[in-house]
Amino acid sequence: MIMHRRQFLTLSSATALYLFTGCSDGNTNGRQQTHMGPGMGPSGGNDASGSLPQTLKPLPIPQALRGTSFNLTIQQSQHEFFNGISTPTYGVNSSYLGPTLFLRNGSTVSIHFTNTINERVSIHGHGMHVPPSMDGNTHQEMAPGESWTAHYTVNQKASTNWYHSHTLHQTGSQVYKGLAGLIIVEDAQSDALNLPKRYGEDDIPLVLQDRKFNSDGSLNYTPNMRAIPFGYVGESFMANGAIEPLFHAEAKEIRFRILNGSNSTMYELGFSDGRSFKQIATDNSFLETPVTLNRLLLSPAERAEIVVDFSGDLGKELTLRDFRRNKTFVNISVSKNAASSTKVPSRLTTLQKLNPADATRTRVFNLEGKMGQGLVINGKSMDPNRIDERVPLNQVEIWEIHNRMHIDHNFHIHATHFMLLERNGSSNIPANERGFKDTIYIPGRGSVKLIVKMVDYADETIPYMYHCHFLEHEDNGMMGQFLVTNV
Ligand code: C2O
Ligand code: CU
Ligand code: CU
């Protein structure tokens, strides 16, 4: 179903009041629910997840593709989420989601996409530092039957990135059906660190999502006027396309490369036994030193690499969970002997930080609800024919993002790896947010200050995007475009 921003004109008065005056939180929840019919969650759309037949499946590991030339087919398919039920889906070379691309920093790659579905599609490399013509945003959409090749030299640090649909107004629905996958960049530094790196054995990709299903097993993507701002949360929590699967872990350090691949759900991750783990990487780089945590908050599109130590835990069973909704993502059984030994180093990298004193200007971005226009940035709804910002190459800038609403948002900048300077006016930022990032969480009424520098790729005509990565917000206007210009 296509969500047009026009639908905001019909926002219920209660929701509108909330959005535009930002009055209160909890109460509105309760009040809103009384408007729903039986079986309807607050985000609209029935969810029959609980009544469909399930058995415990092993954690799927997306196929690893290595090299410099990749052929990816965007296809219509069927995927078995529930026993004996074929759910219509989209996938990339696969029935749901797509392979993990391993790219080597410095190598020149060609990623050739063919669109065989009956909709326009663009596939964006999220976190990839590439020229705007290779970004895979709405300006590189493929019509049904068309192909497009992303051809570039990998030019960034080792990190876990991803690709996903970025089709104008259709990103939410196409990602929901399965158009996403991981891109892992490796370099000499990641080679040298004594970290778990046996893919699928002790180096485990986790694309975390939640989905709603109809009673016939089909995916139900029908966010209503409340779900668009507040989030469209399903009852089926899944990892790599399997609902609450089982992972047999070796009794050693295990690295999880976690992507919040949901459309619009915040995840507060941790293990059922409360154990601590080490976060070693943010969206686009290692952290300088591992950060010990027992809960990890990830907003949609953010990544974190963590290492958890199961040495001495042979025979233990636990789960990786979302503590906000108390749902299981992955069942873990520590049942295998360690096949290698690794040790997270106490120092991972040294990051070249930009100096705020070098900043040449400050840009301010207000994330707002606007009567009659829905969700906007600086009063404007996304227009692919309008350039909102012209950002000169090689200049240090401060970008201030203000969430003027009471609902959660985040902010993503294409092709750019920034650092967080301040949260809510304080420069005392959490230790696990001190790596390079491309997406930053901004809770209701919060603000962040980022230090940003556009490097390498200027283009006077083809823009990149910045936007909220809650996909229903993005699809409904909360996105803008910038050109990187030669000075
Ligand atoms: Cu993950 Cu503009 O996208
Ligand atoms: Cu992106
Ligand atoms: Cu948002």
Side-chain angles (χ1 to χ4, degrees):
M1 173 181 177
I2 307 168
M3 305 307 298
H4 289 293
R5 100 189 133 78
R6 196 169 350 121
Q7 289 187 294
F8 259 98
L9 301 175
T10 61
L11 278 175
S12 78
S13 57
T15 304
L17 187 72
Y18 182 99
L19 282 175
F20 305 119
T21 65
C23 70
S24 120
D25 299 82
N27 308 345
T28 318
N29 265 325
R31 241 188 349 258
Q32 284 284 315
Q33 290 203 20
T34 62
H35 296 292
M36 305 294 162
M40 293 277 278
S43 52
N46 280 298
D47 193 351
S49 291
S51 63
L52 291 161
Q54 279 183 52
T55 47
L56 196 58
K57 289 201 183 68
L59 174 71
I61 301 294
Q63 184 194 7
L65 295 182
R66 293 170 195 270
T68 54
S69 175
F70 303 89
N71 278 304
L72 300 182
T73 303
I74 298 147
Q75 60 195 29
Q76 206 157 345
S77 191
Q78 279 163 13
H79 187 74
E80 191 175 309
F81 293 99
F82 301 100
N83 266 7
I85 297 177
S86 295
T87 298
T89 49
Y90 291 156
V92 180
N93 294 7
S94 158
S95 60
Y96 181 81
L97 302 175
T100 300
L101 311 186
F102 281 83
L103 305 186
R104 191 77 206 165
N105 187 29
S107 71
T108 299
V109 299
S110 290
I111 308 172
H112 186 70
F113 295 96
T114 305
N115 175 16
T116 70
I117 67 171
N118 206 18
E119 294 178 42
R120 300 184 67 81
V121 179
S122 63
I123 301 284
H124 167 58
H126 180 126
M128 299 309 293
H129 175 53
V130 298
S133 59
M134 299 299 153
D135 190 44
N137 62 56
T138 182
H139 298 284
Q140 291 93 37
E141 274 178 20
M142 294 165 265
E146 276 183 4
S147 295
W148 175 73
T149 302
H151 180 75
Y152 54 82
T153 299
V154 182
N155 181 16
Q156 62 190 93
K157 296 174 190 304
S159 49
T160 303
N161 300 287
W162 63 305
Y163 56 91
H164 64 78
S165 154
H166 211 293
T167 316
L168 194 65
H169 302 309
Q170 305 280 9
T171 296
S173 66
Q174 292 182 350
V175 170
Y176 210 78
K177 288 190 90 172
L179 294 186
L182 293 174
I183 302 176
I184 293 177
V185 177
E186 296 177 313
D187 64 10
Q189 196 172 32
S190 63
D191 290 350
L193 293 169
N194 186 18
L195 290 169
K197 48 183 91 128
R198 286 179 289 123
Y199 180 76
E201 306 289 335
D202 64 0
D203 183 355
I204 309 298
L206 290 180
V207 179
L208 303 183
Q209 300 176 311
D210 57 84
R211 292 292 182 264
K212 286 185 194 238
F213 289 90
N214 295 307
S215 51
D216 63 357
S218 57
L219 285 159
N220 179 0
Y221 186 66
T222 54
N224 63 11
M225 287 314 102
R226 178 179 168 80
I228 293 170
F230 291 92
Y232 190 67
V233 186
E235 281 295 310
S236 287
F237 274 51
M238 53 179 74
N240 303 341
I243 299 167
E244 301 181 23
L246 172 63
F247 172 59
H248 284 282
E250 291 179 15
K252 67 173 295 291
E253 286 182 339
I254 302 289
R255 174 189 198 168
F256 291 107
R257 299 176 186 258
I258 304 176
L259 162 68
N260 179 335
S262 76
N263 277 38
S264 50
T265 312
M266 293 294 304
Y267 296 140
E268 187 179 342
L269 303 170
F271 293 92
S272 51
D273 60 0
R275 74 176 54 214
S276 62
F277 49 88
K278 290 175 177 163
Q279 184 173 348
I280 57 166
T282 52
D283 298 335
N284 312 109
S285 72
F286 287 115
L287 288 155
E288 290 193 321
T289 55
V291 177
T292 300
L293 304 168
N294 52 26
R295 293 291 172 86
L296 169 66
L297 198 60
L298 276 189
S299 71
E302 283 186 292
R303 287 87 68 208
E305 293 181 28
I306 66 168
V307 175
V308 53
D309 193 358
F310 295 130
S311 314
D313 285 338
L314 206 58
K316 254 199 193 134
E317 298 191 337
L318 68 162
T319 62
L320 173 69
R321 319 183 58 73
D322 169 33
F323 282 90
R324 285 229 166 155
R325 293 181 179 75
N326 211 20
K327 298 284 286 187
T328 296
F329 272 119
V330 186
N331 294 286
I332 300 168
S333 167
V334 185
S335 55
K336 294 155 114 178
N337 289 309
S340 71
S341 90
T342 55
K343 177 91 192 82
V344 177
S346 56
R347 181 143 193 107
L348 296 158
T349 189
T350 300
L351 299 174
Q352 290 286 319
K353 297 188 183 75
L354 299 170
N355 184 352
D358 294 334
T360 52
R361 65 173 287 176
T362 297
R363 290 175 207 263
V364 177
F365 299 86
N366 290 301
L367 309 182
E368 311 161 309
K370 195 174 173 192
M371 199 60 88
Q373 279 199 52
L375 299 167
V376 297
I377 301 178
N378 290 344
K380 295 174 291 181
S381 180
M382 167 69 176
D383 178 350
N385 300 311
R386 184 190 67 224
I387 299 298
D388 298 286
E389 303 286 331
R390 303 174 66 87
V391 186
L393 195 65
N394 293 329
Q395 309 253 318
V396 178
E397 298 196 352
I398 306 296
W399 287 27
E400 260 184 52
I401 329 293
H402 295 270
N403 180 352
R404 303 289 183 194
M405 304 173 73
H406 279 248
I407 58 175
D408 282 340
H409 292 295
N410 65 12
F411 194 80
H412 167 53
I413 311 176
H414 281 213
T416 310
H417 304 155
F418 55 76
M419 275 199 190
L420 179 62
L421 287 181
E422 288 182 14
R423 256 194 190 287
N424 303 327
S426 160
S427 55
N428 188 13
I429 59 169
N432 69 325
E433 290 192 307
R434 294 183 191 160
F436 282 103
K437 302 271 302 159
D438 59 47
T439 305
I440 193 84
Y441 173 48
I442 317 169
R445 306 304 291 181
S447 66
V448 293
K449 206 181 263 194
L450 312 175
I451 188 160
V452 178
K453 186 184 183 185
M454 302 299 160
V455 290
D456 302 318
Y457 311 116
D459 192 309
E460 301 295 328
T461 53
I462 306 175
Y464 294 115
M465 276 98 211
Y466 52 80
H467 54 92
C468 177
H469 219 290
F470 288 60
L471 299 183
E472 290 73 40
H473 299 182
E474 171 184 347
D475 278 346
N476 284 279
M478 195 168 259
M479 174 153 64
Q481 304 196 105
F482 67 101
L483 282 179
V484 177
T485 61
N486 282 299
V487 196

